[in-house]
Amino acid sequence: MESLYEELKFEIFRYTETPISLLLLNRNWYSTSQDPQTRAEWLMYKYGRAHALFHAVRLGKSFITEKVVQGLIARGAIFSRYFIQRLVMQFGIQNHKSTPNCSWAANLPLSAFTKLMTEALHQLNGNIAVKGNDMELFQFLTAATLPINHASPRFFDNLNEIENLILEYKFIPFPYRPKILPTTENYPSSDGYENNKQIHLLSRAVLIYPNIVKYWKQIGYHEVCRDLNDIVIKGMFMTFFPMTPPANWVCPTPKILAEKLKELINVGFKLNDNVIKSTVKLFKLKFNIMGEAVINSFIIICGDRVTKIVESILS
């Protein structure tokens, strides 16, 4: 009976959004919260294999231990070379005296850091390139400095290297920040989250070659479409409707827009109500120019229910 009770507590903890709420409710949950296997399972369930290690480090020395890292390894957390590069770059870094310990990896215990490095060397066959930066390499390979219509040829010239970066070195971007900071974002960010600029460049790569998400899914990053969904769909429309159109710009037909949307949907992206609403709001001031094409492309994909959604926003 006691083992069943402990197993039930383990399951409840696993599905809890914020475990601190359980600790405040009942002090008996404290021992459950201290168990490294319980913590590892909670991280994996809440954040997935791709981002469990990032959040374990983010939560700091009061949460992560060598045993928690071992629990994540046993559950298949993904060791990305980019994760290790950022970890080495920010481990133990103390920022300004007014904001102590705010670097993402500042509070990581040495024993946990050592365990992470040892496992990364094993999983990546010793090639962790600690002085490199796979985000910058990805941006170079995907021609991020060029306009998107000029980037495609270079992107496909480098496709084998892009595939290798993801499949062999498990390149996975860090999670994007839940809220955009009002101030200028530095890179790398002190809180660890991926900056808005990097996320936009990743979404641009998806728009050039939607099948790139299949590489990420192949290594276990199944949440990639969920993580990038809104920014990719809105980015698609921004490529068709640039804020400053060139002289030879021609308004795309609903069929062209729908075909591109279907291409994205086929690899896992979703044209849900929230995306439709945010897209309409984004282009609200220009809706007299491109509104009909956008609405009709939505209707091709989702049916007539789109009309009521758009009317509620424009009214």
Side-chain angles (χ1 to χ4, degrees):
M1 181 65 72
E2 184 177 349
S3 62
L4 180 62
Y5 174 68
E6 291 300 320
E7 185 176 337
L8 181 60
K9 285 176 67 179
F10 176 85
E11 287 298 312
I12 292 173
F13 190 95
R14 177 188 182 192
Y15 296 117
T16 302
E17 182 70 18
T18 51
I20 189 65
S21 60
L22 287 176
L23 274 63
L24 294 173
L25 179 67
N26 189 327
R27 290 181 62 86
N28 290 333
W29 284 101
Y30 180 78
S31 60
T32 302
S33 72
Q34 297 302 297
D35 178 63
Q37 300 306 316
T38 301
R39 290 184 174 189
E41 187 66 25
W42 177 78
L43 284 164
M44 291 293 286
Y45 179 79
K46 184 174 175 64
Y47 299 113
R49 293 176 59 207
H51 294 318
L53 289 171
F54 167 83
H55 287 286
V57 173
R58 180 182 63 82
L59 290 168
K61 63 182 180 182
S62 64
F63 189 93
I64 190 172
T65 64
E66 183 180 356
K67 289 184 177 180
V68 170
V69 174
Q70 184 59 50
L72 291 171
I73 294 170
R75 288 164 174 78
I78 300 172
F79 274 78
S80 163
R81 187 171 71 172
Y82 176 57
F83 167 80
I84 294 300
Q85 291 167 346
R86 287 284 300 273
L87 187 70
V88 172
M89 193 186 306
Q90 296 184 271
F91 173 61
I93 296 297
Q94 305 291 322
N95 288 344
H96 300 295
K97 292 181 179 180
S98 59
T99 55
N101 302 332
C102 63
S103 176
W104 166 64
N107 284 324
L108 180 64
L110 180 59
S111 59
F113 174 79
T114 303
K115 184 67 176 177
L116 288 166
M117 294 297 296
T118 302
E119 183 63 23
L121 285 166
H122 170 69
Q123 290 201 21
L124 296 169
N125 298 316
N127 191 348
I128 55 177
V130 293
K131 293 185 178 180
N133 187 319
D134 282 351
M135 175 61 76
E136 293 179 354
L137 177 58
F138 181 81
Q139 292 175 8
F140 171 77
L141 294 173
T142 58
T145 59
L146 297 178
I148 190 168
N149 56 323
H150 296 149
S152 294
R154 188 180 297 180
F155 183 104
F156 287 105
D157 285 344
N158 296 331
L159 185 57
N160 288 339
E161 292 179 73
I162 295 168
E163 179 181 1
N164 185 65
L165 183 63
I166 297 173
L167 297 185
E168 184 172 350
Y169 299 113
K170 308 295 187 293
F171 171 70
I172 295 173
F174 280 15
Y176 65 86
R177 188 174 291 101
K179 293 182 180 180
I180 302 300
L181 296 177
T183 55
T184 303
E185 295 179 315
N186 296 318
Y187 183 83
S189 60
S190 60
D191 63 5
Y193 286 103
E194 211 67 78
N195 285 342
N196 199 37
K197 177 183 176 181
Q198 277 71 41
I199 294 298
H200 274 88
L201 293 174
L202 286 160
S203 69
R204 199 181 84 138
V206 172
L207 292 172
I208 293 173
Y209 184 58
N211 280 333
I212 195 174
V213 303
K214 294 181 179 180
Y215 300 154
W216 276 310
K217 290 181 180 181
Q218 190 173 328
I219 64 171
Y221 182 23
H222 299 290
E223 303 85 3
V224 57
C225 291
R226 181 202 66 189
D227 290 350
L228 297 176
N229 193 75
D230 289 19
I231 198 168
V232 165
I233 299 292
K234 286 190 286 187
M236 186 214 89
F237 282 102
M238 291 182 73
T239 61
F240 281 109
F241 299 98
M243 293 300 178
T244 307
N248 60 347
W249 179 80
V250 177
C251 185
T253 65
K255 183 179 179 181
I256 291 174
L257 295 173
E259 286 176 352
K260 186 61 178 181
L261 284 170
K262 286 178 182 178
E263 188 179 7
L264 295 172
I265 291 168
N266 286 340
V267 296
F269 293 97
K270 296 181 179 180
L271 183 63
N272 54 43
D273 289 1
N274 286 335
V275 175
I276 292 172
K277 290 177 183 178
S278 60
T279 302
V280 173
K281 289 178 181 177
L282 181 65
F283 293 104
K284 191 173 181 179
L285 296 177
K286 288 191 170 185
F287 230 65
N288 61 323
I289 300 173
M290 37 74 77
E292 185 177 354
V294 172
I295 294 172
N296 286 334
S297 71
F298 288 159
I299 292 174
I300 292 172
I301 302 296
C302 302
D304 291 335
R305 69 180 178 84
V306 170
T307 305
K308 291 185 178 179
I309 297 174
V310 174
E311 287 177 350
S312 67
I313 297 170
L314 298 179
S315 59

